Amino acid sequence: MSEHTVATVGELNDGDRKLVEVEGREIALFRTDGEFRAYTNWCIHQGGPACEGSVTGTSDAEFDREELETELQWCKEGEVLNCPWHGWEYDIPTGECLSKEGAKLPAHPVRVEDEEVVVSL
Amino acid sequence: MSQRAAHALAETTVVDTDVHITVPEETIATYLEEPYRSSITDSPHPMFPSSSWDQRMGGKIDDYFSTFTGPEDVREFQADFEIEYPIINTFEPLGKFSQPDLAMSLMRAYNDLLLDKFLDDYDFLGLAAVATQRPREAAEEIERIGDNDQIVGLYLGTSGEYPPLGDPSNDPIYRAAEDHDLPIVFHGNGEEFMFDFPLHNKGFNNYFEVQSLGHPWQQMATMASVIGEGVPAKFPDLNFVFLEAGIGWVPYMMHRMNKIYRMRRSEVPLLEQSPEEYIRDQFYIGSQPLGEPNRSEDMKRIIETLGADMLMFATDYPHWDFDHLEELDKYLQHYFTETERQQILYETPAEAFGLSI
C-alpha cells in the first residue's frame, strides 16, 4: 500500500471535492461534514466518471396505507453523487450505490496529518 | 398426443389460470340494473363494440367461444383437456366503457352471474370482475364478494384502462384486494387494441399485426405503470398475475426496467428494490399464448429465466388462440424436472391464488 498527499486541509471546504491522479488512477477527494473521503473515479455501472457528477440530494417516499397517500421528501442534500453518464446515485459519506444494492464506489483510506490529507492506495 | 404425454397428464394435477366463460348479451342483461338492462334488450345500438377485425378468418378457425356458456361446458372442457382446476373468469374487459355507472353495473352483474351460474352450485374456482372507473365503488364490490372461498382473484382487463392501472387513483382496489388475500389478475385483449392504440389499429392492414402487439403492449404498459407507481411496494402482500401475452416479454421488461430504475431511481422512490426483485417476489405469469421459437432450446432458456416459481399454465379456452397443455408440457417434460413441472402446473398457481387444493 502506498501513501500519497493529495491536498491540504484548508484547500477544501465542506461540499468541495478535488480530483487528483495517483499512480495513473483518478481519485476524487470529497469533504462532507468535515470528513474527508476518497473514491476511485469509476462508476461500477459502465466505468463512467462518477466522481465528476453533480452533487445533490435525492427523493425519499413514504406511503400511508390508511389515507392512501404518498409523501415525497427531499433528503441527503449535498450527500448524493450522480454519475454524469447514466445518473447512478452514490451516497458520498459511505460510497454506497443507491441505485444498486450491494454496490459501492471503490474507496480508499484517508487520514489527516499535519494539515495534509493523505490517501492510501 | 403421444402415449408418454397422455400417461403423464393423467398423473398430474393441472391448474388452468385462464378459462373464459362466454356470457351472451341477453344473459348479462338479466343480471343488470335498469336503465342498462334495457340498453341491451331494447336499444338498437350495441353496447359491446366490435373492432371489425375478423379474428377467426372467415371460419378457417373453428368457433368454440359462442357455445361455451354454462357449467356443463366447463365440465366437458375439464374432461377433454384433463384440467382439474380451471380458474374461470367472465372475460369482458370493463375499462372501455365511458359511462362509469354502466361499468359499475356490469361489474356487479358479471359477479352475480359468476356466483349464480358457476360457483354457488359447483366447486369451480373463479375470478371476480373489477371495473376501475370508480375505484372506491370497486373496492366496495371486492368487500361484497371477496370472502367467498371460490373467488380466488380479481380480474382486470388491461385494455381501455385510463389512467394506466398503476395510477394511485386505483389504490382503493389494491388495498381491498390485499385485505382479502386476492391476487390482481391482469388480462390483455387483442380485439380491444382499438381503445389503447387507435392510430395503430387504424393503420395496420391485417390482424396479424394487431394480434402481435395488442396483448404485450397492454401488459407492458400495465407492468410499467404498476412498478413505476410503486404498487407492489405499497401493498407488499399483494400478488399480481399477468395473462395472455405469453412469457417472452417478461424477461425483457424485467431487465429493461432494472436498467431504467438504476438511472432514474429518485423518480420512483417508493421502490426499495429493483423491478426484477418485485416481479420475482410478487408477480406470476400465465403461459398462454406460448411463443413458438424455431429452436426449442430457446424456449427452455426463457422458461428458466422466469423460473418455475413465476410461471403458471393457462389455456385461454375457449378462445381461438388457446393453448393445449401439450404446448407447454412438451418443454417441461423434455427440459425440466418433474418437481419443476409440478410447480408450474400446480404449486405455483396454488401459491399465487392462495388455493387450498
Side-chain angles (χ1 to χ4, degrees):
Chain A
M1 188 174 279
S2 56
E3 298 194 324
H4 304 269
T5 300
V6 296
T8 61
V9 170
E11 237 181 294
L12 279 81
N13 293 318
D14 255 1
D16 287 349
R17 75 184 122 176
K18 181 181 182 183
L19 234 74
V20 296
E21 193 171 312
V22 180
E23 293 179 357
R25 293 157 73 177
E26 286 184 17
I27 305 293
L29 182 69
F30 291 87
R31 186 171 189 179
T32 312
D33 287 336
E35 298 285 322
F36 289 97
R37 291 171 186 87
Y39 300 109
T40 295
N41 185 21
W42 192 85
C43 181
I44 60 130
H45 178 216
Q46 293 184 9
C51 295
E52 296 174 46
S54 60
V55 174
T56 65
T58 191
S59 292
D60 198 4
E62 213 165 296
F63 178 63
D64 181 335
R65 195 183 185 279
E66 195 61 36
E67 299 297 323
L68 295 179
E69 282 174 5
T70 300
E71 191 188 337
L72 288 174
Q73 295 119 9
W74 186 250
C75 60
K76 291 178 174 287
E77 178 60 43
E79 294 184 358
V80 176
L81 179 64
N82 306 278
C83 179
W85 277 10
H86 303 104
W88 279 41
E89 294 178 309
Y90 293 93
D91 180 69
I92 296 173
T94 63
E96 280 174 13
C97 183
L98 303 177
S99 305
K100 186 173 185 178
E101 198 180 348
K104 290 183 103 167
L105 279 174
H108 308 286
V110 184
R111 64 188 166 82
V112 173
E113 196 173 291
D114 298 333
E115 291 301 300
E116 289 186 328
V117 185
V118 179
V119 172
S120 303
L121 290 187
Chain B
M1 190 187 298
S2 70
Q3 285 299 312
R4 187 177 67 96
H7 174 70
L9 287 185
E11 293 177 349
T12 306
T13 303
V14 177
V15 177
D16 180 350
T17 56
D18 191 19
V19 177
H20 299 292
I21 50 177
T22 306
V23 184
E25 292 183 23
E26 58 274 18
T27 305
I28 199 61
T30 65
Y31 288 88
L32 271 173
E33 304 143 16
E34 289 292 9
Y36 305 113
R37 175 184 298 191
S38 300
S39 294
I40 291 179
T41 56
D42 295 346
S43 170
H45 305 290
M47 181 184 286
F48 299 93
S50 166
S51 68
S52 85
W53 292 109
D54 177 10
Q55 298 196 30
R56 292 188 299 105
M57 298 191 297
K60 285 165 78 74
I61 302 172
D62 220 340
D63 172 23
Y64 310 98
F65 173 75
S66 52
T67 56
F68 198 78
T69 55
E72 292 313 317
D73 301 316
V74 181
R75 285 276 185 252
E76 199 177 322
F77 159 74
Q78 283 183 275
D80 287 351
F81 281 62
E82 301 189 62
I83 303 290
E84 192 162 349
Y85 296 102
I87 298 180
I88 60 181
N89 60 66
T90 50
F91 174 62
E92 189 64 37
L94 301 174
K96 63 178 166 286
F97 293 102
S98 296
Q99 283 175 274
D101 200 52
L102 167 63
M104 293 298 118
S105 295
L106 281 167
M107 169 180 69
R108 289 186 285 268
Y110 280 113
N111 291 334
D112 285 342
L113 176 144
L114 180 71
L115 292 164
D116 183 33
K117 277 183 171 287
F118 291 88
L119 303 191
D120 286 350
D121 299 327
Y122 297 84
D123 59 359
F124 295 127
L125 304 173
L127 305 180
V130 171
T132 60
Q133 283 83 340
R134 287 183 189 146
R136 290 193 184 274
E137 210 170 312
E140 286 170 18
E141 176 68 355
I142 296 167
E143 295 292 327
R144 180 176 79 96
I145 45 80
D147 287 333
N148 184 310
D149 288 342
Q150 288 166 266
I151 299 279
V152 297
L154 303 170
Y155 178 86
L156 278 82
T158 51
S159 52
E161 289 288 347
Y162 187 84
L165 283 160
D167 191 89
S169 60
N170 288 319
D171 281 350
I173 293 171
Y174 297 123
R175 182 173 61 185
E178 191 182 50
D179 285 344
H180 290 270
D181 289 328
L182 293 170
I184 297 287
V185 182
F186 293 123
H187 190 284
N189 186 297
E191 167 76 13
E192 302 210 332
F193 188 72
M194 61 182 173
F195 294 108
D196 305 295
F197 309 103
L199 295 177
H200 287 83
N201 189 66
K202 187 167 174 57
F204 284 148
N205 295 321
N206 53 58
Y207 196 66
F208 172 96
E209 295 156 62
V210 172
Q211 180 74 2
S212 296
L213 293 175
H215 305 80
W217 277 12
Q218 291 157 355
Q219 297 298 57
M220 285 178 180
T222 300
M223 186 179 270
S225 173
V226 165
I227 293 281
E229 297 292 342
V231 182
K234 290 171 169 177
F235 306 100
D237 294 325
L238 186 56
N239 288 339
F240 301 86
V241 176
F242 287 77
L243 298 178
E244 197 150 351
I247 66 175
W249 65 282
V250 177
Y252 172 80
M253 285 297 284
M254 283 199 301
H255 302 158
R256 183 170 175 81
M257 288 194 295
N258 278 351
K259 191 177 188 78
I260 296 169
Y261 167 72
R262 287 169 188 146
M263 293 194 285
R264 313 187 67 85
R265 191 207 64 86
S266 60
E267 203 171 67
V268 287
L270 278 170
L271 300 184
E272 291 174 345
Q273 52 187 4
S274 64
E276 179 171 351
E277 287 168 285
Y278 283 111
I279 291 169
R280 291 198 180 281
D281 286 350
Q282 289 172 255
F283 287 36
Y284 298 85
I285 311 295
S287 58
Q288 182 273 345
L290 201 66
E292 298 184 2
N294 289 344
R295 298 181 303 182
S296 69
E297 57 269 28
D298 290 348
M299 182 54 72
K300 168 183 178 273
R301 283 188 286 272
I302 296 174
I303 293 173
E304 280 173 344
T305 303
L306 260 75
D309 54 355
M310 191 193 300
L311 178 61
M312 309 185 295
F313 174 63
T315 61
D316 183 42
Y317 197 81
H319 292 176
W320 61 271
D321 53 342
F322 70 86
D323 275 349
H324 191 276
L325 177 59
E326 183 67 7
E327 178 72 346
L328 176 65
D329 207 30
K330 67 189 178 202
Y331 298 106
L332 301 184
Q333 296 215 28
H334 189 69
Y335 291 118
F336 295 91
T337 65
E338 188 55 28
T339 304
E340 290 167 318
R341 180 170 175 264
Q342 278 182 22
Q343 253 185 297
I344 291 165
L345 299 181
Y346 170 67
E347 289 163 15
T348 298
E351 185 184 304
F353 291 92
L355 309 181
S356 48
I357 55 177

